[in-house]
Amino acid sequence: MALQSARSMLKEDAEGKEFMDKIQKRLHAMSFHMRSYFWLDFQQLNDIYRYKTEEYSHTAVNKFNVIPDSIPDWLFDFMPLQGGYFVGNVSPARMDFRWFALGNCIAILSSLATPEQSMAIMDLIEARWDELVGEMPLKICYPALESHEWRIVTGCDPKNTRWSYHNGGSWPVLLWLLTAASIKTGRPQIARRAIDLAEARLLKDGWPEYYDGKSGRFIGKQARKFQTWSIAGYLVAKMMMEDPTHVGMISMEEEKHMKPVLNRSFSWC
């Protein structure tokens, strides 16, 4: 998104064109890398499950040497037949398979996600509504880190216990991003359903910063009230629903010459 914004601010003179060309090359490379290696759907998950390891030539299918046994158990039940998302991170021999709300919504709005991938992300949200939205939109990430993982990754952070704060908490401020992504993909009913949930509680609860629990039922144990971003997230979501053209201020369309060829997975069709 930053690169696209930078490109739009450059003049098409000699100096500007040089930077525009560099930005274009970087955008193409990053888009291909993310769409190819960070994307996960049912077919891709099944492929990883069947990966061979210790492949080293340029013909290697398992390019990051991901060990199939590292796939967490929760993912096999979480992944629907229709739907997909961008995983948290990919590194040699390890993938962070968690779902992150902010990254996937921004992927849609920035056109990092292809139109097919954008629809698949929304399919996943609908299919896993209870897990990702629950009683208060929207889970910042899913699932929460627990036990040994929580101790290692968070350093036993008492604020980031399971299903709280940044560890699987539900953040009302993310409502505007979900709304924008819903409108861009032609699925405003998803946003409307989420806004109805938020309206039933936010004012009564005093506009908390975040909610706790697997379904987002409880006001966060250290959540501050009357948070301006919780209020602003709701207001922006309502304004976009009243006039969907507002989404154009934060949404970017993909340019045709930017599209890399993808031959990875077509399970969203």
Side-chain angles (χ1 to χ4, degrees):
M1 224 164 183
L3 287 170
Q4 287 174 309
S5 298
R7 182 178 56 187
S8 69
M9 292 187 287
L10 288 167
K11 292 182 178 180
E12 291 195 34
D13 53 20
E15 186 179 15
K17 190 175 185 308
E18 179 186 353
F19 281 102
M20 290 173 76
D21 289 342
K22 289 179 179 179
I23 287 172
Q24 191 59 44
K25 288 178 182 177
R26 178 60 58 88
L27 279 171
H28 188 282
M30 288 180 65
S31 297
F32 176 80
H33 185 81
M34 294 294 294
R35 292 170 181 174
S36 299
Y37 304 121
F38 280 68
W39 179 253
L40 189 69
D41 57 17
F42 182 83
Q43 182 60 55
Q44 180 68 357
L45 176 60
N46 207 160
D47 290 344
I48 295 172
Y49 178 69
R50 291 167 49 82
Y51 270 168
K52 295 177 181 178
T53 57
E54 308 300 330
E55 295 180 308
Y56 296 106
S57 75
H58 67 279
T59 59
V61 175
N62 187 359
K63 296 185 184 301
F64 293 92
N65 197 35
V66 176
I67 310 299
D69 286 343
S70 69
I71 301 173
D73 291 338
W74 64 265
L75 186 55
F76 293 105
D77 294 324
F78 178 74
M79 181 62 72
L81 290 174
Q82 301 291 328
Y85 65 103
F86 289 99
V87 299
N89 198 14
V90 178
S91 58
R94 186 179 183 277
M95 295 179 72
D96 183 348
F97 289 98
R98 286 179 296 166
W99 179 88
F100 289 86
L102 180 61
N104 278 278
C105 287
I106 290 292
I108 292 174
L109 295 175
S110 65
S111 289
L112 169 63
T114 65
E116 294 83 3
Q117 288 173 334
S118 296
M119 293 300 287
I121 292 170
M122 303 311 294
D123 286 342
L124 177 82
I125 292 172
E126 279 198 307
R128 296 294 176 258
W129 186 266
D130 290 343
E131 291 88 345
L132 302 180
V133 181
E135 298 184 38
M136 176 58 67
L138 180 65
K139 279 288 174 216
I140 194 168
C141 63
Y142 182 91
L145 297 174
E146 303 183 57
S147 304
H148 185 60
E149 271 194 309
W150 168 73
R151 286 192 289 272
I152 291 175
V153 177
T154 75
C156 299
D157 184 352
K159 198 170 185 178
N160 277 310
T161 52
R162 63 180 183 175
W163 308 114
S164 181
Y165 200 51
H166 292 152
N167 188 16
S170 299
W171 290 71
V173 66
L174 296 172
L175 183 62
W176 76 271
L177 283 161
L178 176 63
T179 300
S182 300
I183 293 171
K184 184 174 181 180
T185 54
R187 312 272 282 273
Q189 72 277 6
I190 295 177
R192 194 171 294 112
R193 186 180 173 191
I195 290 172
D196 288 344
L197 280 173
E199 283 182 332
R201 290 199 57 184
L202 281 178
L203 178 61
K204 182 182 69 172
D205 291 344
W207 304 96
E209 182 183 17
Y210 64 94
Y211 285 75
D212 283 356
K214 211 165 187 178
S215 63
R217 177 178 296 178
F218 301 96
I219 297 173
K221 58 186 174 183
Q222 295 189 44
R224 306 298 188 264
K225 291 196 174 183
F226 301 103
Q227 289 289 295
T228 52
W229 60 0
S230 296
I231 299 169
Y234 167 73
L235 291 176
V236 171
K238 290 289 284 186
M239 291 173 69
M240 286 190 291
M241 289 297 287
E242 290 171 4
D243 184 358
T245 62
H246 288 322
V247 175
M249 291 189 287
I250 53 170
S251 174
M252 296 178 175
E253 298 302 322
E254 182 182 29
E255 296 182 15
K256 289 183 179 179
H257 63 272
M258 237 186 74
K259 295 182 179 179
V261 178
L262 293 179
N263 296 305
R264 301 284 297 182
S265 175
F266 301 95
S267 68
W268 55 74
C269 297

